[in-house]
Amino acid sequence: MQFNSEEIEIGERLRGIRENMHMTREQFSEKIDITDSFLGQIERGERSLSVKTLKKVVRYTGVSADYLLFGIQSK
């Protein structure tokens, strides 16, 4: 299986956000309505975030999509 470095970076940022919120994968995935297994795959860069899931993460966490996708803060 080949991993995309951008997906890995997005997954690492998502994991960092979740950990900063002091949440388990199970707790976080429940809040954004995906399985904890799928969340783990995203965090490892094995799967991509859908636009639907991206919107849920942004709404729930308050982080910008720019930060999650590109590692930069919105102005």
Side-chain angles (χ1 to χ4, degrees):
M1 179 180 283
Q2 188 175 16
F3 299 113
N4 180 323
S5 65
E6 288 180 10
E7 299 303 330
I8 292 171
E9 290 173 4
I10 291 168
E12 288 173 349
R13 284 190 288 275
L14 183 58
R15 179 182 295 123
I17 292 164
R18 175 180 61 78
E19 289 175 348
N20 283 337
M21 296 177 76
H22 305 286
M23 297 182 81
T24 65
R25 268 198 344 230
E26 185 177 270
Q27 292 167 328
F28 191 83
S29 63
E30 186 176 305
K31 295 292 186 183
I32 61 170
D33 196 31
I34 62 173
T35 66
D36 61 326
S37 173
F38 183 54
L39 178 58
Q41 292 172 331
I42 294 170
E43 288 183 351
R44 291 187 299 275
E46 296 171 5
R47 300 281 302 268
S48 299
L49 279 169
S50 67
V51 173
K52 181 179 178 181
T53 302
L54 173 62
K55 285 178 163 182
K56 289 177 182 181
V57 169
V58 168
R59 282 187 192 124
Y60 179 68
T61 64
V63 300
S64 70
D66 283 340
Y67 173 72
L68 191 56
L69 296 175
F70 306 109
I72 56 175
Q73 295 293 338
S74 297
K75 295 185 179 181

